[in-house]
Amino acid sequence: MKHRLSTIILAAAASVFALSACDTSVATAATPAPAPFSTTVQAAYDSIAGQTTGFTLGAPLAAKVAYVFFDPQCPHCAHLWNAAQPLGASARIVWIPIGMLSRASAPQGATILGAADPAKAMTENETSILNRQGGLTADSDAVARFKDKVAANTALFNSMRAKDDGVPFIVTKVNGEVRSQSGSLSTPQLKQFLGLPN
């Protein structure tokens, strides 16, 4: 019985870890090392919209706005993408690709931004990531047009994050207070974090 209880506890701990965040502290040869924490999330919140390039999921005129920095190679980001789908009628979530986890990250982020339907491309990528198939194939035209945008998103993410923050990284404002969250959330947890009514 004791062994079975230990197994259950370990399985529960593994499932919690599975919905945490992808660590971005290890840079690849193609990406610079993360910048030191220099800008607080509070100070950066109002400039995120003007300094990043992303695409919107949800109601364009919704009063509730959230920003999600994601890496196309991050399975935790894929879980959050799926969890956010039911909230489309009550929130506007801006998905901002960065390139940190692998060499494929930035080209895939640029491909998603350059797609005729970024949400459809994102769903294709996230499904592929969850199925351990590597994500969508990069489109060279989109990469040429949007690689600098993904690099700028990555630089802003690096300037705002704390040392241990990974992706997905969610930023929103609730009752005038800026909130940030590193890691994936379930749909009910995301709804609560965003301050949406039950």
Side-chain angles (χ1 to χ4, degrees):
M1 180 67 179
K2 186 175 180 182
H3 176 69
R4 179 180 158 90
L5 183 58
S6 296
T7 303
I8 292 170
I9 291 170
L10 287 173
S15 68
V16 169
F17 176 76
L19 291 177
S20 60
C22 289
D23 182 12
T24 57
S25 62
V26 179
T28 65
T31 52
F37 185 75
S38 59
T39 305
T40 66
V41 174
Q42 178 77 38
Y45 177 82
D46 292 328
S47 62
I48 290 174
Q51 293 183 18
T52 61
T53 303
F55 68 94
T56 300
L57 172 71
L61 300 178
K64 173 59 60 186
V65 180
Y67 301 94
V68 178
F69 289 87
F70 75 95
D71 188 298
Q73 287 287 299
C74 168
H76 306 296
C77 299
H79 285 291
L80 185 65
W81 172 256
N82 289 336
Q85 301 303 310
L87 304 182
S90 53
R92 178 166 53 105
I93 304 176
V94 181
W95 293 80
I96 304 165
I98 65 169
M100 303 230 359
L101 295 179
S102 82
R103 292 181 187 210
S105 297
Q108 287 173 335
T111 298
I112 292 168
L113 287 178
D117 184 344
K120 182 178 178 183
M122 179 74 164
T123 296
E124 177 187 339
N125 186 77
E126 304 309 81
T127 300
S128 177
I129 290 298
L130 289 176
N131 290 331
R132 298 180 180 188
Q133 295 171 337
L136 55 73
T137 301
D139 175 86
S140 58
D141 180 56
V143 171
R145 290 184 295 129
F146 289 97
K147 67 180 178 182
D148 291 342
K149 302 292 187 184
V150 175
N153 291 346
T154 306
L156 180 62
F157 173 75
N158 278 333
S159 75
M160 333 172 16
R161 75 187 184 107
K163 179 182 175 187
D164 296 326
D165 285 333
V167 286
F169 187 73
I170 313 163
V171 183
T172 193
K173 192 179 279 189
V174 178
N175 298 325
E177 175 191 355
V178 174
R179 292 181 178 180
S180 66
Q181 163 75 33
S182 178
S184 187
L185 299 171
S186 66
T187 302
Q189 290 171 329
L190 181 58
K191 191 173 184 179
Q192 182 179 15
F193 176 76
L194 298 178
L196 295 172
N198 290 326

